Amino acid sequence: MKIKGALALIGTLVISVVIGACSFPSEESEGHKMPIAQEGHGLVKVSLTLGAARTALPQISVLTNYTLQFTRTDGTVFSEPTSESELTIELEAGTYTLVVTGYNSDGAMAAQGSSEVTVSENQETLAEVQLNSTQMESGTLTYTIGVPETLTLKNGILRLDPLAGGNALVFGLTSSREGTQVIPSGFYRAGCDLYGTMDTSAANKRAGKTMVVHIYDNLETKLDFTFGGDEFINDGVMATWVAGDSTEFATALTEIQSSTETNIDIYVNANISLSPVSLSGSGYSGKTIRVRNTGTDTHEISLNSNGALFTVGSDVTLEVESISLKGRTSNSNVVVYVDGGNVLLNSGASISGNSNTSSNGGGVYVSSGTFTMQDNAEVSGNTVFSSSSSYYSYGGGVFVGAGIFTMQDSAVVSGNTASYYSYYSHSYGGGVYVSSTGTFAMQDSAVVKDNTASSISSYYSYGGGVFVAGGTFTMQDGAVVSGNTVSSSISSYGGGGVFVDSSGTFTMQNSAVVSGNTASFNGGGVYVSSGTFTMEGSTVVSGNTSSNYGGGVFVNSGTFTMQDSAVIQDNTSSNYGGGVFVYGTFTMQDSAVIRGNTASSYGGGVFVDSSSTFTMHDSAVISGNTASSYGGGVFVYGTFRKEPRTEGSTSGIIYGSGENGVDQDGYDLKNTATYGSAVYVYDSRQKDTTVWETTSLSTDSSENWE
């Protein structure tokens, strides 16, 4: 089976233990066994051997000292240090766990193995202990690659793939075919691949070899690959390149365009600086190019002149893994421009440090195609600010045009800014801007946090975290928008976390969270302007703050629906609507909850403005909210209807000032206000006591008011 085949390639240091009787090391005459000194004892003969079979291992001589520790089942321990590779020990009969530890000349632990040993009286038993790397630290690999003198090498790599899984270590051989590397200890499958021309032939040829390498803690392993001329085959094609500078990166791109391979890896083994690169045209079409890091340290590819570091054209895929893509502090473009292709930021990849003066996107512009972030990838620390002639700034981190942007697997967009260039500037989407034809999805604990949209004087700022301009934005599966800020002094603008404009659609589902965002005017968490906002599943809008209206949600001519187990809690408004301010349509149904919100003036839970409608159904609950003046639970200027959806169903609960209990999460039940603790209507109708689920209440009727 395959596992046995793999293990057969893995050389190990083996201790053969022959059991017979007891005591400490003593000499043995040739051809005779050492006599047993005591009754009830047996002998343990220890010898070290080295496995080979296509495996690179440290030399046995580098282990200069050993400790043999026998632990009997009753807890008794016998320990013996030695510098000998062969010795005999006498032990009392019994069952032991034998642990052997090997040390290098500096006294550092390098290898260890263990085995169960049964010592029988006056018997000899053979036991083997595999002495392997402790894999706690690192060891040294020294490699030498021999090639024919007639070879002109275009590309060469040495790749080490951990047999236990994980990132490959890749070393370039073009400039030097020997070297020494300190790498994590463990088993690796080493592959050497060479690519070039032989003699006067113009045809590219290729050769390769493989071997298993074992790296021991604090020891040196030597690897030697020697190639003969007859091992190179004609028309060889390499799919892996190593780049340590801009010239090697450019060479790889040139070869990729003429290659028939469709899946190519470029491993970056140093920080490099590049001019703008365009991955478009027939030479790249249909190909996937993976730019990866070598070793364990993340390397950086930085932009050295104005323009996009990478432009990815139609039918081209760029994947980036464990590489930091760095922009410029003064640039006229983004770091990555997706122009019909596909870009994936994988584990350890980031886009940062760019300031774009051309309005659209600080870090990434998805004109068309797809952009996907996953496995903790980041877009951070970028800025977009309009030039004096354009007046607009869109998407401090990412601008989504007609494309699709997906964040998943704990990916992060953070610390980006859409800002003003001059007195006459507007800014939209500190973290992400989604245009009227764009699509943005956050899932699997993805995070948009600590982004800012800002402007000065009488100019607008919208959406500290995300601005949705007619496109579609979906949050699900634990996605979070938090800690974002929108700074503007203009009435009717804001949206600290999310701003949904015109025909835009924003849906929260499956434990998505909008929390801890701030708006200097309206909509601390979410601002809906003629768009559609839906909360469903166990979603939460919490801990957001506005300096004017709508601490949690501000609805301006849009539509907002809360359903399932959605919750709006702990939000604060310095004026009206601590939880929700509605100048549009708001429906609350199923088991949705609004609780623990505060308004400094009217409507602790909900403020319903004129020409607006708030409808409440089913088992929805409004509780524990506070307004300093009117309407602790709800304040109504427009239309309010608390009514069953169907005959025989309920219409929810709005608690009054007389309820002293708490809910299942410890929130107070009672709503509090000077007038109308439960509900207050502008015409002085009010409810100070609890409005129970079987009681209908509507501004269309005079029934059930106090």
Side-chain angles (χ1 to χ4, degrees), residues 193 204 213 288 290-291 381 414 488 574 586 598 618 636 640 653 661 701:
D193 212 354
N204 291 320
V213 175
T288 296
R290 291 180 289 266
V291 179
S414 68
S488 174
S574 296
F586 174 31
T598 301
D618 306 325
V636 185
F640 169 57
I653 300 174
S701 170

Side-chain angles (χ1 to χ4, degrees), residues 225-563:
F225 282 126
T226 301
F227 291 84
D230 57 352
E231 294 180 85
F232 287 80
I233 61 173
N234 288 328
D235 301 320
V237 176
M238 278 199 68
T240 303
W241 297 80
V242 176
D245 56 37
S246 59
T247 300
E248 291 179 349
F249 201 94
T251 298
L253 293 178
T254 299
E255 293 292 332
I256 286 169
Q257 292 181 76
S258 60
S259 174
T260 58
E261 284 285 342
T262 57
N263 292 283
I264 301 105
D265 292 314
I266 302 176
Y267 283 90
V268 177
N269 64 1
N271 294 334
I272 62 176
S273 179
L274 298 178
S275 299
V277 174
S278 178
L279 303 177
S280 59
S282 58
Y284 295 108
S285 182
K287 295 177 180 177
T288 296
I289 302 168
R290 291 180 289 266
V291 179
R292 294 176 162 177
N293 180 57
T294 62
T296 56
D297 295 329
T298 297
H299 290 118
E300 177 183 292
I301 301 178
S302 60
L303 180 65
N304 61 23
S305 59
N306 281 344
L309 179 58
F310 289 105
T311 297
V312 184
S314 180
D315 200 30
V316 180
T317 297
L318 172 66
E319 296 185 19
V320 182
E321 181 178 318
S322 296
I323 294 288
S324 174
L325 304 181
K326 205 71 170 279
R328 290 167 57 84
T329 55
S330 180
N331 194 13
S332 59
N333 214 317
V334 291
V335 180
V336 175
Y337 182 79
V338 186
D339 189 19
N342 306 291
V343 174
L344 283 79
L345 288 191
N346 293 322
S347 176
S350 65
I351 294 173
S352 64
N354 194 60
S355 294
N356 180 14
T357 61
S358 67
S359 296
N360 296 336
V364 181
Y365 184 170
V366 188
S367 175
S368 59
T370 67
F371 174 45
T372 302
M373 296 175 62
Q374 56 193 19
D375 299 331
N376 300 297
E378 291 190 16
V379 173
S380 62
N382 303 285
T383 300
V384 61
F385 55 93
S386 62
S387 66
S388 58
S389 60
S390 66
Y391 307 152
Y392 300 102
S393 301
Y394 302 102
V398 181
F399 180 99
V400 185
I404 299 172
F405 175 29
T406 303
M407 292 178 66
Q408 58 195 23
D409 303 329
S410 302
V412 177
V413 172
S414 68
N416 303 283
T417 302
S419 185
Y420 55 87
Y421 178 84
S422 68
Y423 185 84
Y424 302 101
S425 299
H426 310 299
S427 58
Y428 304 77
V432 180
Y433 178 95
V434 185
S435 73
S436 59
T437 54
T439 300
F440 176 31
M442 292 178 66
Q443 55 203 33
D444 303 329
S445 301
V447 178
V448 173
K449 66 177 182 178
D450 302 332
N451 302 282
T452 301
S454 62
S455 64
I456 58 176
S457 188
S458 57
Y459 292 86
Y460 309 139
S461 293
Y462 313 76
V466 180
F467 183 95
V468 186
T472 301
F473 174 33
T474 303
M475 290 178 67
Q476 59 187 7
D477 302 331
V480 176
V481 173
S482 68
N484 303 283
T485 301
V486 62
S487 175
S488 174
S489 60
I490 299 300
S491 174
S492 301
Y493 297 97
V498 181
F499 190 106
V500 187
D501 199 15
S502 58
S503 58
T505 300
F506 174 32
T507 303
M508 294 177 65
Q509 53 193 201
N510 301 336
S511 302
V513 176
V514 174
S515 67
N517 303 283
T518 301
S520 63
F521 208 73
N522 296 331
V526 180
Y527 188 124
V528 185
S529 178
S530 301
T532 301
F533 174 34
T534 303
M535 292 179 67
E536 57 191 28
S538 300
T539 52
V540 178
V541 173
S542 68
N544 303 283
T545 302
S546 78
S547 296
N548 195 38
Y549 300 158
V553 178
F554 182 92
V555 183
N556 182 19
S557 301
T559 300
F560 174 35
T561 302
M562 284 182 74
Q563 57 195 32

